[in-house]
Amino acid sequence: MVYEGMGADQLKAENVDRAIKGIALNSYTLRKLLMTGSTKAWQNSYYRESDKTFRIDTDIPRGAQFPQDHNLNEKLSVFQDKRGLETFILEEDIKADNVDHIQRALKRLADRIARSVDATIYTALTTDNGRTLAASATWDNATRASRIPHEDLFRARALLADSNNNSYKADSALFSEGDWPYIVSNDTIMDSFDASGPNVMQNGNMGRIAGLEATVSVSVDADEACVMQSKVAGTWFALEGMKTFRKEDPGIGVLVRAWEYGAVAITDPSAICIITNTRA
């Protein structure tokens, strides 16, 4: 056998598949906010909810027919994207049992694919959103008393709830890595927790803010945030989940490849609100 030792064990086909998929599953941060639908088609059609206001008659005569109105749904299509990456692990690293090198290579491969999926989803959220508002003041404002991100989050929730036909109930807030420090350390937010609340300074975990589940992701653009109703705003069409492939080149090393197909469809843009101008 060319490949022996712990390094070789790490690169067995089943181990590679399990490691990459396990790492990627933990790396997805935005895909979990969408509905997931399986598909066998390269082109996927869906209907986008309109924001049309239903007309109502408040003075129907006795015995008269009720007025009718109908929602408008726009038929759209998305095409599958194929995303993938491969890495080559040298035999020297395998035979020398450089397990850290192997694990790091697999982690970077899985993380990069997962980050690509999340970036595609966030681009769709910001392109097809139905609501936007500018932050009342920058969240990193030089005047600490002017930092009021919680008010912007409540305003965004109100905008979604005030939609014409559907009163969307926002449940998620997406923050960039750059904005998060100004959220988690905000004076007003910190002061709102009593002794029974989460110890943010101890563990850095806030969980929910303004009734919204906080998600922090590098895929969220700088200088903005997103408030949305998860599982309603859009769908991730999965043609094929992540697949992996391993090929040995005796005396040289092992090629490891991973890829997946998928496409995002924003079905309810009015369930999304983008908050802009969050940074100075």
Side-chain angles (χ1 to χ4, degrees):
M1 289 291 292
V2 176
Y3 303 104
E4 298 177 350
M6 187 159 48
D9 291 340
Q10 289 286 320
L11 286 172
K12 290 180 179 179
E14 62 271 20
N15 290 349
V16 166
D17 185 74
R18 184 168 58 250
I20 293 178
K21 290 180 179 178
I23 294 169
L25 185 63
N26 290 326
S27 298
Y28 294 117
T29 56
L30 303 187
R31 197 175 74 175
K32 66 186 70 172
L33 300 175
L34 303 181
M35 289 286 289
T36 300
S38 298
T39 180
K40 296 298 183 182
W42 186 256
Q43 178 181 358
N44 297 272
S45 297
Y46 65 98
Y47 289 92
R48 176 173 295 170
E49 182 85 5
S50 75
D51 207 23
K52 173 189 173 185
T53 302
F54 273 22
R55 176 180 54 86
I56 185 170
D57 192 339
T58 60
D59 189 19
I60 302 175
R62 294 178 60 186
Q65 293 294 319
F66 277 72
Q68 290 188 2
D69 208 342
H70 305 280
N71 196 19
L72 298 177
N73 292 293
E74 182 182 9
K75 186 177 182 180
L76 300 171
S77 296
V78 290
F79 292 89
Q80 291 289 314
D81 287 325
K82 179 182 179 182
R83 66 197 77 239
L85 190 65
E86 63 183 32
T87 187
F88 195 85
I89 302 175
L90 297 176
E91 181 183 285
E92 287 80 358
D93 292 325
I94 299 170
K95 292 184 72 66
D97 287 346
N98 292 333
V99 178
D100 283 348
H101 175 81
I102 295 172
Q103 290 176 338
R104 288 176 184 178
L106 297 182
K107 183 179 187 304
R108 291 195 178 205
L109 188 152
D111 280 347
R112 194 63 192 88
I113 295 177
R115 183 178 295 190
S116 174
V117 170
D118 281 350
T120 298
I121 290 172
Y122 190 75
T123 297
L125 292 174
T126 55
T127 301
D128 297 328
N129 63 85
R131 299 284 186 270
T132 58
L133 63 84
S136 301
T138 54
W139 296 354
D140 60 345
N141 200 287
T143 303
R144 292 189 68 91
S146 297
R147 301 179 182 180
I148 49 174
H150 51 290
E151 291 190 15
D152 297 325
L153 296 175
F154 280 116
R155 289 169 56 211
R157 287 189 59 178
L159 274 180
L160 299 191
D162 197 30
S163 180
N164 288 336
N165 288 325
N166 292 314
S167 183
Y168 293 102
K169 295 177 175 59
D171 56 22
S172 301
L174 317 183
F175 302 102
S176 69
E177 293 283 0
D179 277 338
W180 182 242
Y182 300 102
I183 293 291
V184 75
S185 65
N186 180 269
D187 293 341
T188 303
I189 295 174
M190 290 287 289
D191 290 344
S192 69
F193 293 123
D194 59 22
S196 63
N199 192 335
V200 178
M201 291 300 291
Q202 180 180 23
N203 55 40
N205 297 325
M206 180 172 290
R208 300 182 71 84
I209 174 173
L212 305 169
E213 190 71 28
T215 297
V216 185
S217 173
V218 295
S219 298
V220 177
D221 293 339
D223 198 30
E224 67 182 35
C226 175
V227 173
M228 62 181 289
Q229 183 175 354
S230 64
K231 308 295 184 182
V232 171
T235 298
W236 176 259
F237 288 112
L239 176 65
E240 182 176 65
M242 184 176 287
K243 299 291 184 180
T244 63
F245 172 76
R246 169 187 176 276
K247 181 180 179 181
E248 297 184 14
D249 190 353
I252 304 296
V254 175
L255 174 75
V256 178
R257 179 182 300 151
W259 70 96
E260 72 171 279
Y261 293 88
V264 58
I266 301 301
T267 56
D268 289 61
S270 293
I272 306 165
C273 180
I274 301 298
I275 303 173
T276 61
N277 302 328
T278 60
R279 300 285 296 278

